Amino acid sequence: MSLDNRNTSAQYKRAEQLKRWEESEMNKKLSGAPKSPSSRRIKFSSGCIFLAACVAGDKEEVEWLLKNGADIDTANVDGLTALHQRCLTKQE
């Protein structure tokens, strides 16, 4: 599976996961009332943002994250770090 297909698949799975959560009984119990999509507040760790910036090739963001303590050993759902992803991208 190519890196683009993997990223698209991960985004689709995450969107489905968020949709299921919004409709879940647990979410309704915790929130008391259904929330509008515009009020969602999802926060990602600096390591996750670092992975995304590396995959996107955003050098400025990567440098900023490294200077601010991003965990370079953060792995994606497949267990790949940013270094693994970069090596795979160079081979394709």
Side-chain angles (χ1 to χ4, degrees), residues 16-87:
E16 288 296 310
Q17 184 183 34
L18 289 171
K19 182 179 175 184
R20 284 192 307 273
W21 169 253
E22 288 294 326
E23 297 169 353
S24 73
E25 289 298 317
M26 180 63 78
N27 181 43
K28 291 175 186 170
K29 286 179 186 177
L30 292 174
S31 65
K35 294 183 179 180
S36 69
S38 63
S39 68
R40 291 182 188 157
R41 297 285 183 245
I42 300 173
K43 296 193 180 212
F44 296 97
S45 71
S46 61
C48 290
I49 297 169
F50 175 73
L51 281 175
C54 289
V55 169
D58 188 341
K59 289 175 113 179
E60 290 178 12
E61 182 77 5
V62 168
E63 288 174 5
W64 185 89
L65 288 162
L66 288 172
K67 288 177 186 173
N68 288 283
D71 182 6
I72 63 169
D73 294 322
T74 300
N76 68 13
V77 295
D78 296 323
L80 301 174
T81 65
L83 180 59
H84 290 122
Q85 292 177 338
R86 180 65 182 148
C87 290

